[in-house]
Amino acid sequence: MAKQVRNTIRSARKEQNLRQDELAGVAGVGLRFIVDLEAGKPTAQIGKVLQVLQTLGCSVDILSPGERQ
């Protein structure tokens, strides 16, 4: 799942022609957080990850194990 999240963030950022520092500014997080997030650093805080995803216009669906596709 972490790989999918980081790939989604990177792809959405590039599609919107945002540099990492620009995304950090509009999402209200630090540049180092974005760099680490896109690199797949496992210590990312979920609240900040959701904040970045929301800034990029991405949605998150949470499924229980029985609902997986």
Side-chain angles (χ1 to χ4, degrees):
M1 181 176 103
K3 184 176 180 180
Q4 182 180 7
V5 170
R6 77 172 190 234
N7 289 342
T8 297
I9 289 171
R10 182 181 296 125
S11 294
R13 177 181 60 77
K14 288 183 177 188
E15 285 175 13
Q16 295 177 38
N17 296 315
L18 290 170
R19 297 185 319 257
Q20 288 178 323
D21 62 317
E22 293 172 324
L23 173 57
V26 296
V29 298
L31 173 59
R32 173 61 34 203
F33 180 79
I34 297 296
V35 170
D36 290 347
L37 182 59
E38 288 190 4
K41 186 173 180 180
T43 59
Q45 297 173 20
I46 190 68
K48 287 185 179 180
V49 173
L50 293 173
Q51 192 172 327
V52 171
L53 287 166
Q54 181 180 9
T55 298
L56 290 167
C58 298
S59 64
V60 177
D61 294 324
I62 299 173
L63 305 173
S64 66
E67 296 175 308
R68 290 189 179 163
Q69 299 175 5

